[in-house]
């Protein structure tokens, strides 16, 4: 499953951050997933549970922020949204540029460390 290798990458980032900030427990992870990033949110949920088990992120709140596909016509500047409507009504061949929808990144990692109990990193 594709999402397992993505989640492996997410955990590399999470554990890196945990080390940098001396976190002993991860409490929250948020990742941003674009509509056409090719990732299934349900499969990511599963992959998260798989990697979290027995790690410092076990029991953490895992959330996914989904970003819709949007684009803009280079000719008339009209904003377009969604796979079906990503074609402008103005004349000529398709000339749109993509604005959002391909994102895939770790947005927020929050955790606790022994010294001050709470720490948050981007
Ligand atoms: Zn147009």
């Amino acid at each position: 499953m594709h999402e397992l290798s993505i989640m492996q990458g997410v955990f590399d980032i999470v554990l890196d951050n945990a080390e940098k900030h001396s976190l002993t427990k991860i409490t929250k992870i948020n990742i941003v997933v674009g509509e056409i990033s090719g990732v299934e949110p349900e499969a990511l949920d599963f992959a998260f549970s798989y990697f979290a088990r027995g790690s410092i992120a076990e029991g953490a709140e895992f959330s996914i922020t989904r970003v819709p596909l949007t684009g803009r016509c280079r000719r008339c500047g009209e904003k377009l949204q969604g796979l079906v409507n990503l074609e402008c009504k103005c004349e000529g061949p398709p000339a749109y540029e993509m604005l959002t929808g391909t994102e895939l990144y770790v947005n927020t990692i929050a955790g606790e460390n022994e010294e001050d109990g709470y720490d948050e990193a981007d």
Side-chain angles (χ1 to χ4, degrees):
M1 190 168 64
H2 174 58
E3 283 76 8
L4 279 175
S5 60
I6 289 166
M7 193 51 70
Q8 175 71 70
V10 168
F11 263 75
D12 285 347
I13 295 168
V14 168
L15 296 178
D16 248 30
N17 265 270
E19 200 178 305
K20 223 184 286 171
H21 299 276
S22 313
L23 304 181
T24 51
K25 187 173 163 52
I26 301 294
T27 53
K28 269 184 199 173
I29 299 172
N30 174 260
I31 71 170
V32 174
V33 175
E35 188 180 348
I36 56 159
S37 61
V39 175
E40 282 300 321
E42 295 76 21
L44 272 187
D45 270 340
F46 171 81
F48 174 77
S49 327
Y50 176 82
F51 279 103
R53 200 172 305 137
S55 82
I56 63 168
E58 185 161 11
E61 182 191 320
F62 178 66
S63 60
I64 297 170
T65 301
R66 306 198 65 179
V67 180
L69 174 63
T70 62
R72 181 171 49 205
C73 176
R74 289 184 204 276
R75 249 189 321 266
C76 68
E78 189 180 330
K79 287 255 178 80
L80 310 159
Q81 187 164 341
L83 286 169
V84 183
N85 298 319
L86 207 57
E87 209 168 294
C88 190
K89 287 173 186 65
C90 72
E91 302 274 306
Y96 58 82
E97 56 179 330
M98 236 178 259
L99 298 176
T100 64
T102 59
E103 297 83 350
L104 182 59
Y105 60 89
V106 178
N107 186 34
T108 310
I109 300 165
E112 293 167 0
N113 66 26
E114 273 160 4
E115 290 91 63
D116 57 30
Y118 190 79
D119 193 24
E120 189 154 351
D122 287 327

